[in-house]
Amino acid sequence: MSEQNLPTQRARRQLLAGSASALAAAGLASFTRSAQAQMASAPAANLPPVPKPFPPYVSWKDTNAMILHSSTTIETKRASQGMGLITPAEHLYVRNNLPAPAASILDDREAWAISIEGVKNPRSLSLRELKTVGLESLPMVLQCSGNGRGFFPSKPSGTPWTVGAAGCVVWTGVPVRQVVELLGGALPGMPFMTSTGGEVLPAGIDPKSVMVERSVSAQAMGEALLAWELNGQPIPLAHGGPLRLIVPGYQGVNQIKYIKRLAFTAQESDAKIMSHGYRISPPGTPSDPTQPSVQEMSVKSWINSPLPERPGTAGPVQIQGLAFAGAHAIKRVEVSVDGGKHWRDARFIGPELGKYAWRQFALAVILPPGTHQLVSRATDTAGHVQPEQRLENVHGYNNNSWADHAVTVTLS
Amino acid sequence: MSEQNLPTQRARRQLLAGSASALAAAGLASFTRSAQAQMASAPAANLPPVPKPFPPYVSWKDTNAMILHSSTTIETKRASQGMGLITPAEHLYVRNNLPAPAASILDDREAWAISIEGVKNPRSLSLRELKTVGLESLPMVLQCSGNGRGFFPSKPSGTPWTVGAAGCVVWTGVPVRQVVELLGGALPGMPFMTSTGGEVLPAGIDPKSVMVERSVSAQAMGEALLAWELNGQPIPLAHGGPLRLIVPGYQGVNQIKYIKRLAFTAQESDAKIMSHGYRISPPGTPSDPTQPSVQEMSVKSWINSPLPERPGTAGPVQIQGLAFAGAHAIKRVEVSVDGGKHWRDARFIGPELGKYAWRQFALAVILPPGTHQLVSRATDTAGHVQPEQRLENVHGYNNNSWADHAVTVTLS
């Protein structure tokens, strides 16, 4: 839908014509960082910038709505999130730990098989068989645990996502608990549900050092799905088709793509991505299995209109944004137009799609000409309040700081 | 996402290799009709068929998921509706009464203006101004009143839609009632809300004979929107952008595209599309303003898995489908596997998105090898039950017959 992106392209052109330091001086530091990421993905001297060709497995993405960080890390632009209850697949971020398998695994989707282990009657089930066992549809925020890393002043290694490594999408599949019941139930003494992705591993290195295998609490089985549809269509390769584990409320790394094994286990996986990857390491410390693992998401919100690149004019303004949490629904969102000194309750827009989906909010305000710092702060039904400050950590995970997500707009 | 459509293309190839009369003899008459529609849009002798190029204003549609009836009438395939709570814009049907305006009307979306009349303080408002007045998001089934016309044995003139002239999408805009309040309220004695589309009319003929102008009850203002986003993105030209009237629960013709005038009026519009078009004319009678107009939708459901082209195998089967009504939510869906002799309650899948959205349903059954006629029957919260038979009418509107929407599958 390239016809729709002309305003964005225009804003980008204007930005590329200015200097980063001038924007920083004007208080637009966070926007500057995002702009630099965009510039890095476009030929420097050409105006308007031509988006890099996207790799074949994501060639169907709406390139105008996305920031191509690398061939396996692609972010949705903040201005492209709009007021969509559901993120179109074409706009959904991509973050793959390994290159996707060959597209030929989609030639016969229903033949894809998964081994279910740690149950009374372990066996392999094809997708064809899974489809006869049960059916559920679940709207859920899918978010990379590094979403917001771009706001860390420590500049952790890894993709500098701002807000666009998240989307709210609908997964359809069979509840894991129904599959487990069919196979006689999980064995006792197995506190973990450990899942393994079907990526092809590079030869010549220890598989444990690269394989995608993650453990979550076995209790997460209660609402987990083995999913074959994303937004009502077969899951694209980039998003884990033909079969993906969905653990609602958990960060993206736990939603295992191309899942080929699901096991109830006595121990967490000893794959490196579990033992040392995705750990909340205090500043200055190496990763370590005793540190907290990236699991459930935390309460979070951000504003996506107005934005510095699309400020609008002084007078009546509808401030708009998105809010979600991990295991709990959103109960309240407050908005401040003075950087967090004073707050007013926003109202929710549109229907609630269940506790794992995000909610749109809006607040009608009158803004005079000048510069305004707009912030939102969400509270979930368990009483968790989005904090002002991020929890500092080496790898830049779980950033839900409201201060980091502020936007500064200048209205005339 | 062309990678996903191989199974459909395969089924289509197999079908094209067979003869329509053989399929009809096997009891697959309704599928045959749909297949003929598909064949009509593909070069007859080429296997696999190459989809016709779509016209530029809909070039972004997923051509593999759609049936191109004409440049202004494009249907979603039944098998492509999947279990999507929300229909992607790329899969949403297209039905325009006139060619779309030039794409240049989207160059400056916010400059689009609408005249509000029949209120205390009539005036023109730009989209830029409308965006400051209010904000709401609404999931809603958008359906052409001719959806199901293809099942009429009388073969009415007009597009022979089967089930794919419908989708459930999210509209975002300002509630009409907030705009009307801002302008001092509707004048007394104005029972109709009359809206005019911004299509360019052909020269040399009476504008009233071609213009798109429809009247609904002024009470429909209560939940109507002036919408600028479809599924979180600016409304594409094909679907009425930059600004479209949304009257939830009403048939598609009342959702005025490119809306340039909204007026509270003492009389219904005298445009031909209102006075004579979209009337429920008894068989053998000419259209006439005294006949019922196509307004609110009726309770309706259909099964979209299994389908004749994708029957699956005997044994456990999850029968799946969609149900919606007009002004009321869906309360119950029953499913029969013997053509309507015996019924069982289906269960709902996924969240309810409000009373104007459709609901997915499923029923787990064991089907032995052989031929089965699968049917669904919906009931809304006001007690309306989907009828067995269509109401015969000259132009093939409002078909909600459960018998017409049956599917016959043969399992081995």
Side-chain angles (χ1 to χ4, degrees):
Chain A
M1 286 187 279
S2 60
E3 71 188 26
Q4 298 171 12
N5 294 283
L6 295 172
T8 306
Q9 288 188 339
R10 220 165 12 234
R12 200 163 149 191
R13 247 187 338 261
Q14 286 163 358
L15 184 77
L16 288 165
S19 82
S21 58
L23 288 165
L28 300 176
S30 69
F31 179 49
T32 305
R33 190 177 303 118
S34 145
Q36 285 170 331
Q38 285 192 20
M39 283 187 277
S41 72
N46 293 350
L47 296 178
V50 178
K52 255 191 207 168
F54 276 34
Y57 82 118
V58 286
S59 61
W60 50 273
K61 292 277 175 183
D62 181 349
T63 56
N64 288 303
M66 314 288 291
I67 304 163
L68 184 71
H69 292 292
S70 78
S71 65
T72 56
T73 51
I74 308 173
E75 178 168 8
T76 315
K77 290 181 188 169
R78 192 168 187 161
S80 294
Q81 288 177 326
M83 289 303 278
L85 289 169
I86 300 296
T87 305
E90 289 74 9
H91 288 188
L92 183 62
Y93 81 98
V94 174
R95 196 286 183 246
N96 282 357
N97 277 280
L98 290 174
S104 59
I105 67 169
L106 305 184
D107 285 351
D108 185 357
R109 288 174 176 265
E110 298 208 330
W112 183 266
I114 176 173
S115 172
I116 311 288
E117 304 171 14
V119 294
K120 190 170 176 202
N121 304 302
R123 57 163 288 200
S124 175
L125 284 157
S126 69
L127 176 49
R128 184 173 292 106
E129 292 168 306
L130 288 174
K131 285 186 173 179
T132 70
V133 176
L135 188 71
E136 193 50 79
S137 275
L138 181 74
M140 187 197 75
V141 173
L142 180 73
Q143 179 186 232
C144 178
S145 50
N147 200 28
R149 181 185 289 126
F151 299 128
F152 277 71
S154 56
K155 297 196 182 303
S157 67
T159 306
W161 312 106
T162 59
V163 301
C168 185
V169 292
V170 184
W171 302 98
T172 299
V174 58
V176 171
R177 65 176 188 281
Q178 284 185 251
V179 178
V180 171
E181 281 162 17
L182 182 74
L183 303 185
L187 295 180
M190 301 296 193
F192 298 103
M193 180 168 76
T194 297
S195 304
T196 314
E199 291 90 350
V200 177
L201 304 183
I205 41 174
D206 177 7
K208 293 277 182 193
S209 72
V210 287
M211 69 192 299
V212 178
E213 184 173 275
R214 294 279 301 174
S215 301
V216 297
S217 163
Q219 293 177 356
M221 158 176 72
E223 302 200 57
L225 296 182
L226 288 167
W228 51 80
E229 277 191 10
L230 166 64
N231 288 356
Q233 301 298 315
I235 302 178
L237 188 69
H239 297 296
L243 191 67
R244 182 169 188 175
L245 176 68
I246 294 302
V247 191
Y250 280 63
Q251 300 277 23
V253 69
N254 301 295
Q255 325 283 342
I256 300 296
K257 302 185 185 83
Y258 330 108
I259 185 170
K260 66 177 187 183
R261 174 176 171 265
L262 185 150
F264 294 89
T265 58
Q267 307 292 335
E268 281 185 1
S269 168
D270 60 354
K272 191 176 174 200
I273 195 174
M274 186 73 213
S275 62
H276 289 75
Y278 294 88
R279 295 280 167 179
I280 310 294
S281 310
T285 63
S287 289
D288 164 329
T290 67
Q291 295 160 350
S293 174
V294 163
Q295 299 270 315
E296 291 96 335
M297 298 191 292
S298 303
V299 61
K300 189 165 176 176
S301 70
W302 60 77
I303 286 163
N304 57 25
S305 183
L307 291 176
E309 64 268 44
R310 219 171 46 179
T313 49
V317 172
Q318 296 277 346
I319 299 173
Q320 304 169 26
L322 304 166
F324 59 97
H328 307 284
I330 289 294
K331 184 173 143 193
R332 179 186 193 190
V333 177
E334 301 157 282
V335 167
S336 167
V337 298
D338 56 10
K341 293 190 195 74
H342 304 89
W343 297 90
R344 286 172 58 190
D345 278 338
R347 65 196 172 85
F348 293 117
I349 299 295
E352 182 175 358
L353 307 190
K355 64 181 179 176
Y356 299 116
W358 61 28
R359 290 218 71 178
Q360 280 77 18
F361 62 84
L363 179 68
V365 295
I366 309 283
L367 291 179
T371 296
H372 306 274
Q373 195 176 27
L374 312 182
V375 207
S376 63
R377 180 170 69 182
T379 303
D380 71 17
T381 53
H384 302 113
V385 181
Q386 186 178 357
E388 179 172 2
Q389 299 303 332
R390 79 192 81 83
L391 178 68
E392 294 295 345
N393 66 91
V394 173
H395 304 288
Y397 294 127
N398 289 6
N399 188 355
N400 65 339
S401 149
W402 60 251
D404 279 357
H405 289 77
V407 289
T408 302
V409 294
T410 300
L411 309 183
S412 56
Chain B
M1 287 189 277
S2 61
E3 69 187 29
Q4 300 172 12
N5 294 284
L6 294 171
T8 307
Q9 290 187 340
R10 228 174 357 245
R12 201 164 148 190
R13 256 197 319 271
Q14 286 164 358
L15 182 79
L16 289 165
S19 80
S21 57
L23 288 164
L28 300 176
S30 69
F31 178 50
T32 306
R33 190 175 306 117
S34 146
Q36 286 171 331
Q38 286 192 18
M39 283 188 276
S41 72
N46 294 351
L47 297 177
V50 179
K52 255 191 208 170
F54 277 35
Y57 82 117
V58 286
S59 61
W60 50 273
K61 292 277 175 182
D62 181 349
T63 56
N64 288 303
M66 314 289 290
I67 304 163
L68 184 70
H69 292 292
S70 78
S71 65
T72 56
T73 53
I74 307 174
E75 178 168 8
T76 315
K77 290 181 187 170
R78 193 168 188 162
S80 294
Q81 287 177 327
M83 288 302 278
L85 290 170
I86 299 296
T87 305
E90 289 73 10
H91 289 188
L92 183 62
Y93 81 97
V94 174
R95 196 286 183 247
N96 282 358
N97 277 280
L98 291 174
S104 59
I105 67 169
L106 304 185
D107 286 351
D108 185 358
R109 287 175 178 266
E110 299 208 330
W112 183 266
I114 177 173
S115 172
I116 311 289
E117 304 171 13
V119 293
K120 190 169 176 206
N121 304 302
R123 58 164 287 200
S124 175
L125 283 158
S126 69
L127 176 48
R128 184 172 293 107
E129 292 169 305
L130 288 174
K131 284 185 174 180
T132 69
V133 176
L135 187 71
E136 192 51 78
S137 275
L138 181 75
M140 187 198 76
V141 173
L142 181 72
Q143 179 185 233
C144 178
S145 51
N147 200 28
R149 182 186 288 126
F151 298 129
F152 277 72
S154 56
K155 296 195 183 305
S157 67
T159 306
W161 313 105
T162 58
V163 300
C168 185
V169 290
V170 184
W171 301 98
T172 298
V174 58
V176 171
R177 65 176 187 282
Q178 285 185 250
V179 177
V180 171
E181 280 162 20
L182 182 75
L183 304 185
L187 295 180
M190 300 296 192
F192 298 104
M193 180 168 76
T194 297
S195 304
T196 314
E199 291 90 350
V200 177
L201 304 183
I205 41 175
D206 177 9
K208 293 278 183 192
S209 71
V210 287
M211 68 192 300
V212 178
E213 184 173 277
R214 294 279 303 173
S215 301
V216 297
S217 162
Q219 293 178 356
M221 158 176 71
E223 302 200 57
L225 295 182
L226 288 167
W228 51 81
E229 277 191 9
L230 166 64
N231 289 355
Q233 301 298 315
I235 302 177
L237 189 69
H239 297 296
L243 190 67
R244 183 169 187 174
L245 177 69
I246 295 301
V247 190
Y250 280 63
Q251 301 276 22
V253 69
N254 301 295
Q255 325 282 341
I256 300 297
K257 301 185 186 82
Y258 329 108
I259 184 169
K260 65 177 187 184
R261 174 176 171 265
L262 185 150
F264 293 90
T265 58
Q267 307 292 335
E268 281 185 1
S269 168
D270 60 354
K272 192 177 172 198
I273 195 174
M274 186 74 214
S275 62
H276 290 75
Y278 294 89
R279 295 281 167 177
I280 310 294
S281 310
T285 62
S287 289
D288 162 330
T290 67
Q291 295 160 350
S293 174
V294 163
Q295 300 270 319
E296 290 96 337
M297 298 192 292
S298 303
V299 61
K300 188 165 176 176
S301 71
W302 60 78
I303 287 163
N304 57 24
S305 182
L307 291 177
E309 64 268 45
R310 218 171 49 179
T313 50
V317 172
Q318 296 276 349
I319 299 174
Q320 304 169 27
L322 304 166
F324 59 97
H328 307 284
I330 289 294
K331 183 173 142 194
R332 180 187 192 189
V333 177
E334 300 157 282
V335 166
S336 167
V337 298
D338 57 10
K341 291 189 196 73
H342 305 88
W343 298 90
R344 287 172 58 192
D345 279 338
R347 66 196 170 84
F348 293 117
I349 299 295
E352 182 175 358
L353 307 190
K355 64 181 179 175
Y356 299 117
W358 62 28
R359 291 219 70 178
Q360 280 79 19
F361 62 84
L363 180 68
V365 296
I366 310 283
L367 291 179
T371 296
H372 306 275
Q373 195 175 27
L374 312 181
V375 208
S376 64
R377 180 171 68 183
T379 303
D380 71 17
T381 53
H384 301 116
V385 181
Q386 187 179 356
E388 180 171 2
Q389 300 302 332
R390 80 192 82 81
L391 177 68
E392 295 292 348
N393 66 90
V394 174
H395 304 288
Y397 293 128
N398 290 6
N399 188 355
N400 66 339
S401 149
W402 60 251
D404 280 356
H405 290 77
V407 289
T408 302
V409 294
T410 300
L411 309 182
S412 56

